[in-house]
Amino acid sequence: MINTSVMTGLMELTPAQQLEFDRMKSIIQEEYAHFGFTAIDTPVLERADVLLAKAGGETEKQIYRFMKGDTDIAMRFDLTVPLARYVAEHYGSLVFPFRRSHIAKVYRGERPQKGRYREFYQCDVDVIGEETLDIAYDAELPRIIYAIFTRLAIGDFTIRINNRKILSGFMKHLGAEDQSAALLRAIDKKEKLSAEAFLDELRTIGLNELQVADVSRFTSLQGGTDEIIQNLRDMGISNAQFTQGLDELEQVVRLVRTMGVPDVAFTVDVSIARGLDYYTGTVFETTLNEYPQLGSICSGGRYDDLASHYTKKQLPGVGVSIGLTRLFSQLVELGIVNTDVRSVADALVIPLSDDELPYAYRAAEVLRKEGLCIDVYLESQAMKKKFKYADRIGVRYAVIVGKEEVQKNAVTVQDMTTGEKSVVSVEDAAQYLRRHQ
Amino acid sequence: MINTSVMTGLMELTPAQQLEFDRMKSIIQEEYAHFGFTAIDTPVLERADVLLAKAGGETEKQIYRFMKGDTDIAMRFDLTVPLARYVAEHYGSLVFPFRRSHIAKVYRGERPQKGRYREFYQCDVDVIGEETLDIAYDAELPRIIYAIFTRLAIGDFTIRINNRKILSGFMKHLGAEDQSAALLRAIDKKEKLSAEAFLDELRTIGLNELQVADVSRFTSLQGGTDEIIQNLRDMGISNAQFTQGLDELEQVVRLVRTMGVPDVAFTVDVSIARGLDYYTGTVFETTLNEYPQLGSICSGGRYDDLASHYTKKQLPGVGVSIGLTRLFSQLVELGIVNTDVRSVADALVIPLSDDELPYAYRAAEVLRKEGLCIDVYLESQAMKKKFKYADRIGVRYAVIVGKEEVQKNAVTVQDMTTGEKSVVSVEDAAQYLRRHQ
């Protein structure tokens, strides 16, 4: 027989896991809509030249790419490149600021390793401006992140906010622009190093003792959001980029508060860079307070120019992304999400014999009309087998129909957890199920 | 600049079209859940040997297949083969009858032509039994089709029901088993031919005049469901398969009625075969009464053995599928679906100046808390530009906040269609918007 397991690096869920995954995905989708973002979709398959216009190096190696006939085809590896193409292609019919959400699978032919997937869901939301985009949109993203992770209820979280200009300005101030790539990497892994090892790392990069002291001071800023901002001001760095970044950060923090995100849910974190090229202003990461080892579960930021490869229009934007496949697998591993077997159905209707099937099915229809999800057991089987099915699919209620129930124009509702039974009229059954949900 | 249009054979929608597409997809998804079907997902990428275990001929030619490293990878071309693999793989943790829905994209490298897509959504629902599966499940599928197309509201429709055993039995009775493939094809295209051309076609296949007369009589049965069944009985065909098929069809019709599908929504149609190999019993097609040219928009049937390539277990099943991408494109072409520009947001909150932004955003939060989808215009722009945005995104209401509104602790709600304005308190605004939705 053929091996039926999925290829390594792909995620396939049991029905119970899928139910929980879909619930989380729906929450993200609903919250994006809640903030007025319009959902789009793009094909998984793109012409390779379109998809690779900007890519290179590692990304290019990871892409699934193949010929079909004489077309050079590639599978999308993120949702940002397709967004850039989409905006360029549909420019005339879009309204700016263009607020779009996109929740879909992307593909990377990576060497499989723990936590890396070859097919995974990204849940993206971006606002694209025409030539300019107000910084207030930067602030709205933490508001959306806050809404989503509050509803997901996977524990306390912290939205970490920084501005790339602060980092770039600081590098210039240091006179360490040549070492900036190595320095950003060092800052990025600071939390994993001892204080002494971090200083050694800085020396290895080639910083002098004055520079090391400055970096140490810069990355050690602690305290509340306002305190950190004040301390950054007090560093007395006069570099224009640094100052602009700090002003922007201050503005974002003020607006984030205005929009209703409580201080306990966000912080300023000057160590966040989010790579070297793409982001140009505000950057975000989100961490779970109890599980810092998961790293950032929702990241993004501001960029100057979305679609320079596809259009001459200047299209600045700001967005964030949730890597749901990876997050879900981590939460399953930590035992945080509930993947107990349970049915999508609110109740299973069981006709005790074939004679009661018509009555039972009509009862099911009454319950469905009330919006309930109803499974009806239609096999002619022994009673025991019918209840075993109810038990194994994990449905909360059995709605039993035998001769007696038909005579009384009623049904027996049995709570599958407690075994408790109640005889109610078909008309009252929906309300009964709802009350006990 | 790079060409940003999608490859031929791929569908990419504008935001307004996407909103409508997603609405239709949600209806299908909700109705599948409504009947207690559990949603699953499988990877788009499969090992080629798994996907091609059963395929061959045309299917194999159409598959997107490529090597990555030393893995021979193929993209799924339907959701049935992945279902078979899924059931074999997860057999031990599934409960039978296993009721699963799967709504996802599939891929076929077809030569692009009108109405053919290389990437398209299939919306599948199947019930899989263990060794046996009660025929009542066959009857439940028309019930689900009825629920879906009633809610989709794209016009009157007819669910056409047949049983493959009637066709096979009839072939045996005719003594035309050698010509059965050609005969099924002829019967399939009967509606497109004149009566005379159809008879000629039958003669071309090699049927004698007696056989031609029999086929003509068989395919000309008309009238109500019960009448057709009676006429089939009256043909006096004693072939056992024919009789069994007729018995099953009668049972399905009886149960379809029991389950609440009105006679006006379904019919018996003995000309439906749905291909030669796969289906073994009940078969379905669904047509729109006003648009027969669209062909079947929802088809399926009963099969004896889902997963013989992956497991020794005998797994009979019954299912249907909606090809949503193709259907949607046809409905757009016919102008049946509403793809007018309109926002996902129920209202756009407009602060007249930056001073009112904090108040305006808090008002937006109050409305969101009531479950409304709210966009807030955050650019510092002239009033005119703000209203132009509201107009162009197609939002129904603008919620305007100026100095006066702040003083009164109120907002001005403007109906963007009629221009009508009302000043209401922030607390009453949600109710106002809902009442006027």
Side-chain angles (χ1 to χ4, degrees):
Chain A
M1 284 288 155
I2 290 170
N3 173 8
T4 54
S5 65
V6 297
M7 292 189 297
T8 49
L10 299 178
M11 178 157 126
E12 182 166 88
L13 302 174
T14 64
Q17 291 171 330
Q18 190 73 50
L19 201 61
E20 182 61 14
F21 183 90
D22 290 351
R23 191 187 68 84
M24 290 177 68
K25 185 152 75 76
S26 290
I27 286 176
I28 298 170
Q29 209 159 322
E30 282 168 29
E31 286 304 320
Y32 285 166
H34 211 185
F35 284 81
F37 284 82
T38 189
I40 68 162
D41 193 21
T42 66
V44 165
L45 302 177
E46 298 266 8
R47 267 190 289 269
D49 64 328
V50 172
L51 221 50
L52 295 168
K54 197 178 177 176
E58 274 312 299
T59 310
E60 188 152 354
K61 259 184 267 171
Q62 288 172 5
I63 284 175
Y64 286 116
R65 181 179 180 180
F66 53 93
M67 297 295 293
K68 182 84 183 173
D70 46 15
T71 314
D72 186 1
I73 301 177
M75 297 177 79
R76 67 178 171 212
F77 56 90
D78 72 4
L79 302 177
T80 304
V81 177
L83 170 63
R85 185 195 51 69
Y86 185 95
V87 172
E89 174 69 13
H90 302 280
Y91 181 80
S93 63
L94 301 181
V95 188
F96 295 89
F98 177 52
R99 294 155 75 78
R100 88 86 176 78
S101 68
H102 193 179
I103 298 179
K105 287 176 172 179
V106 304
Y107 297 83
R108 293 187 193 175
E110 305 205 55
R111 190 179 297 276
Q113 49 177 301
K114 204 172 145 56
R116 295 278 182 166
Y117 288 92
R118 289 169 159 183
E119 171 185 86
F120 55 96
Y121 268 100
Q122 284 204 330
C123 309
D124 279 23
V125 70
D126 289 79
V127 189
I128 311 298
E130 213 174 356
E131 287 173 30
T132 62
L133 181 69
D134 201 282
I135 197 161
Y137 287 104
D138 296 32
E140 198 175 38
L141 288 172
R143 177 64 193 90
I144 298 166
I145 299 172
Y146 176 69
I148 289 171
F149 287 97
T150 301
R151 267 190 75 191
L152 286 178
I154 52 175
D156 291 340
F157 55 91
T158 304
I159 304 165
R160 294 163 189 280
I161 308 176
N162 192 18
N163 192 300
R164 276 298 310 268
K165 288 170 189 149
I166 294 177
L167 280 171
S168 314
F170 179 69
M171 304 286 176
K172 277 186 191 143
H173 155 82
L174 265 191
E177 286 160 277
D178 291 348
Q179 293 101 324
S180 64
L183 181 51
L184 284 177
R185 268 195 298 277
I187 292 174
D188 193 48
K189 65 177 174 183
K190 176 175 186 277
E191 283 194 21
K192 292 172 196 145
L193 301 174
S194 70
E196 205 42 54
F198 177 61
L199 298 183
D200 282 346
E201 178 82 17
L202 297 179
R203 288 178 192 115
T204 313
I205 291 166
L207 300 193
N208 62 37
E209 285 308 307
L210 221 64
Q211 290 171 322
V212 168
D214 248 7
V215 173
S216 175
R217 192 171 146 225
F218 177 71
T219 56
S220 304
L221 296 175
Q222 274 176 348
T225 300
D226 301 318
E227 206 178 333
I228 294 174
I229 290 175
Q230 191 53 51
N231 286 337
L232 285 168
R233 291 247 179 261
D234 291 346
M235 286 185 81
I237 295 171
S238 59
N239 175 282
Q241 214 177 2
F242 184 90
T243 311
Q244 197 195 339
L246 199 48
D247 289 349
E248 287 182 12
L249 183 64
E250 209 165 358
Q251 250 186 303
V252 168
V253 164
R254 189 172 45 77
L255 284 163
V256 163
R257 283 175 174 147
T258 296
M259 291 177 180
V261 182
D263 268 59
V264 69
F266 75 95
T267 188
V268 163
D269 184 342
V270 293
S271 71
I272 288 170
R274 303 289 323 147
L276 290 172
D277 300 330
Y278 192 57
Y279 295 112
T280 51
T282 308
V283 283
F284 310 105
E285 290 192 351
T286 313
T287 49
L288 290 178
N289 298 356
E290 287 177 58
Y291 308 99
Q293 71 272 25
L294 299 194
S296 178
I297 57 174
C298 174
S299 316
R302 157 75 73 142
Y303 39 90
D304 272 346
D305 200 357
L306 173 73
S308 57
H309 292 78
Y310 309 120
T311 172
K312 282 172 186 154
K313 310 263 182 239
Q314 171 90 5
L315 301 169
V318 62
V320 291
S321 181
I322 302 171
L324 186 59
T325 301
R326 177 154 180 261
L327 174 60
F328 185 78
S329 78
Q330 290 171 323
L331 296 177
V332 168
E333 209 165 286
L334 290 168
I336 302 179
V337 297
N338 174 11
T339 54
D340 292 350
V341 171
R342 63 193 192 287
S343 175
V344 69
D346 299 304
L348 172 74
V349 173
I350 302 178
L352 289 186
S353 83
D354 286 359
D355 292 345
E356 288 93 36
L357 197 152
Y359 179 94
Y361 211 92
R362 280 193 292 272
E365 284 299 311
V366 171
L367 298 175
R368 285 186 188 131
K369 213 165 249 160
E370 297 293 321
L372 292 161
C373 292
I374 303 293
D375 189 357
V376 185
Y377 191 86
L378 296 173
E379 295 279 346
S380 303
Q381 288 285 0
M383 185 103 98
K384 203 176 143 188
K385 202 144 182 199
K386 293 177 177 177
F387 280 89
K388 194 177 163 197
Y389 174 86
D391 192 48
R392 285 200 62 208
I393 63 169
V395 74
R396 177 73 193 279
Y397 290 100
V399 173
I400 304 158
V401 176
K403 280 193 179 43
E404 249 177 85
E405 281 83 2
V406 175
Q407 271 167 11
K408 288 186 195 157
N409 195 29
V411 295
T412 298
V413 179
Q414 180 175 343
D415 185 319
M416 292 297 294
T417 323
T418 64
E420 201 188 326
K421 286 183 189 181
S422 310
V423 180
V424 294
S425 75
V426 175
E427 287 64 34
D428 292 343
Q431 224 190 330
Y432 181 92
L433 290 173
R434 230 184 263 294
R435 214 170 32 233
H436 293 75
Q437 247 171 350
Chain B
M1 285 286 154
I2 290 168
N3 173 7
T4 55
S5 65
V6 296
M7 293 190 298
T8 48
L10 300 178
M11 178 156 132
E12 181 165 271
L13 303 174
T14 64
Q17 291 170 331
Q18 189 73 50
L19 201 60
E20 182 61 13
F21 183 90
D22 290 351
R23 192 187 66 84
M24 291 177 68
K25 184 152 74 76
S26 290
I27 287 176
I28 298 171
Q29 208 160 322
E30 282 168 28
E31 286 305 319
Y32 285 166
H34 211 185
F35 284 82
F37 284 82
T38 189
I40 69 161
D41 192 22
T42 65
V44 165
L45 302 177
E46 296 265 8
R47 266 189 290 267
D49 65 327
V50 171
L51 222 49
L52 295 168
K54 196 178 179 175
E58 274 311 301
T59 310
E60 188 152 351
K61 258 184 270 170
Q62 288 173 4
I63 285 175
Y64 285 116
R65 182 179 179 180
F66 53 92
M67 298 293 293
K68 183 84 184 174
D70 45 15
T71 314
D72 186 0
I73 301 177
M75 297 176 78
R76 65 176 172 214
F77 56 89
D78 72 4
L79 301 177
T80 304
V81 177
L83 171 63
R85 184 193 53 69
Y86 186 94
V87 172
E89 174 69 12
H90 302 281
Y91 182 78
S93 64
L94 301 181
V95 188
F96 295 90
F98 177 52
R99 295 155 74 78
R100 89 85 176 78
S101 68
H102 194 179
I103 298 179
K105 286 176 173 179
V106 305
Y107 297 83
R108 292 186 193 176
E110 305 205 53
R111 191 178 297 276
Q113 49 177 300
K114 205 174 143 58
R116 296 276 182 170
Y117 288 92
R118 290 170 158 179
E119 171 184 88
F120 55 97
Y121 269 98
Q122 283 203 332
C123 310
D124 279 22
V125 70
D126 289 83
V127 189
I128 311 298
E130 213 175 355
E131 286 173 30
T132 63
L133 180 68
D134 201 282
I135 197 162
Y137 287 103
D138 296 32
E140 197 175 38
L141 288 173
R143 176 65 193 89
I144 297 167
I145 298 172
Y146 176 69
I148 288 171
F149 286 98
T150 300
R151 266 191 75 190
L152 286 178
I154 52 176
D156 291 341
F157 57 90
T158 305
I159 304 164
R160 295 162 189 281
I161 308 176
N162 192 17
N163 191 301
R164 277 298 311 266
K165 288 170 190 151
I166 294 177
L167 280 171
S168 313
F170 179 70
M171 304 283 175
K172 277 186 191 142
H173 155 81
L174 265 190
E177 287 160 276
D178 290 348
Q179 293 100 325
S180 63
L183 181 50
L184 283 178
R185 267 195 300 275
I187 291 175
D188 194 48
K189 65 178 173 183
K190 176 176 185 275
E191 285 195 21
K192 292 172 196 146
L193 302 174
S194 70
E196 208 38 59
F198 177 61
L199 298 183
D200 282 347
E201 179 83 18
L202 296 180
R203 289 179 193 114
T204 313
I205 291 168
L207 299 194
N208 64 36
E209 285 308 309
L210 221 65
Q211 290 172 320
V212 169
D214 247 7
V215 173
S216 176
R217 192 170 148 227
F218 178 70
T219 56
S220 303
L221 296 174
Q222 274 179 348
T225 300
D226 300 319
E227 206 178 332
I228 294 175
I229 290 175
Q230 191 54 52
N231 287 336
L232 285 168
R233 290 248 179 259
D234 291 346
M235 286 185 81
I237 295 171
S238 61
N239 174 284
Q241 213 177 4
F242 185 90
T243 312
Q244 197 195 339
L246 200 46
D247 289 348
E248 287 182 10
L249 182 64
E250 210 165 359
Q251 250 186 303
V252 167
V253 164
R254 187 170 47 75
L255 283 163
V256 163
R257 283 175 173 147
T258 297
M259 291 177 180
V261 182
D263 268 58
V264 68
F266 75 94
T267 188
V268 162
D269 183 342
V270 294
S271 72
I272 288 170
R274 303 290 321 149
L276 291 171
D277 300 331
Y278 192 56
Y279 295 113
T280 50
T282 308
V283 281
F284 310 105
E285 289 192 351
T286 312
T287 49
L288 290 178
N289 297 357
E290 287 177 59
Y291 307 98
Q293 72 272 25
L294 299 195
S296 178
I297 56 173
C298 174
S299 316
R302 157 77 72 147
Y303 39 89
D304 271 346
D305 200 356
L306 173 74
S308 58
H309 291 79
Y310 308 120
T311 172
K312 281 173 186 152
K313 311 262 181 239
Q314 170 90 6
L315 301 170
V318 61
V320 291
S321 180
I322 302 171
L324 186 59
T325 301
R326 179 155 179 261
L327 175 60
F328 185 78
S329 79
Q330 289 171 322
L331 296 177
V332 168
E333 210 165 285
L334 290 168
I336 302 179
V337 297
N338 174 12
T339 54
D340 292 349
V341 171
R342 63 195 191 288
S343 175
V344 68
D346 299 303
L348 172 74
V349 173
I350 302 179
L352 289 186
S353 83
D354 286 0
D355 293 345
E356 287 92 38
L357 198 151
Y359 179 93
Y361 211 92
R362 280 192 292 272
E365 284 299 310
V366 171
L367 298 175
R368 287 186 186 132
K369 215 165 249 160
E370 297 294 321
L372 293 161
C373 292
I374 303 294
D375 189 358
V376 185
Y377 191 87
L378 296 172
E379 294 279 347
S380 304
Q381 288 286 1
M383 186 105 97
K384 204 176 143 188
K385 202 144 183 200
K386 293 177 179 179
F387 280 89
K388 194 178 163 198
Y389 174 86
D391 191 48
R392 287 199 62 207
I393 64 170
V395 73
R396 176 76 193 277
Y397 290 101
V399 173
I400 304 158
V401 177
K403 279 191 180 44
E404 249 177 85
E405 281 84 1
V406 175
Q407 270 167 10
K408 287 186 195 157
N409 196 28
V411 294
T412 299
V413 179
Q414 178 174 343
D415 186 318
M416 292 297 294
T417 323
T418 63
E420 199 188 326
K421 286 182 189 181
S422 309
V423 179
V424 294
S425 75
V426 175
E427 287 64 37
D428 292 343
Q431 226 191 327
Y432 181 92
L433 291 173
R434 232 183 262 294
R435 215 173 28 235
H436 292 76
Q437 247 171 350

